[in-house]
Amino acid sequence: MSTFEGSLRIPGDEGPPLAVMIDLVDGRLLMSAGESEIGNWAMSEIRVNALPDGFHLRAEGEEVLLDITDDAQFAVDLGLRTAPPHLRRRMSALMRND
């Protein structure tokens, strides 16, 4: 199981981001804020794209923007193959060290 800290925003919303924890376990992405579960999705049910402003997660017809503290490890653990150049370099370094 991999656990990541980050923040969640709604694209276009100017309010403060929400602190979240994301667990990747058994082919699922579980997201929580404090004691509240935000989502629990099979990886096949979501789409995650790494873009310059963060990770765009689409699930159940909605999109959220995630800023993950350990973004390179998060991208590697998700199995992402495309990312902005600065993130791709850090992902490559992680994969070389493994």
Side-chain angles (χ1 to χ4, degrees):
M1 176 164 99
S2 299
T3 300
F4 299 92
E5 293 181 27
S7 61
L8 175 145
R9 291 184 289 124
I10 305 296
D13 185 0
E14 298 300 322
L18 177 66
V20 295
M21 295 295 292
I22 297 173
D23 293 311
L24 302 176
V25 59
D26 296 329
R28 301 191 69 80
L29 186 147
L30 298 92
M31 187 183 314
S32 59
E35 297 296 318
S36 300
E37 182 178 279
I38 295 173
N40 181 345
W41 303 282
M43 293 304 294
S44 61
E45 297 174 333
I46 63 172
R47 177 179 295 167
V48 180
N49 294 312
L51 298 175
D53 61 345
F55 293 93
H56 288 247
L57 183 143
R58 289 186 180 95
E60 301 174 13
E62 300 292 327
E63 180 177 355
V64 296
L65 181 58
L66 299 171
D67 182 20
I68 304 298
T69 304
D70 190 1
D71 57 353
Q73 188 65 57
F74 183 69
V76 168
D77 288 359
L78 284 175
L80 296 183
R81 299 288 177 234
T82 60
H86 68 281
L87 179 56
R88 255 193 342 259
R89 283 191 294 275
R90 290 196 315 276
M91 290 168 62
S92 294
L94 281 174
M95 290 186 285
R96 278 193 305 270
N97 290 335
D98 286 344

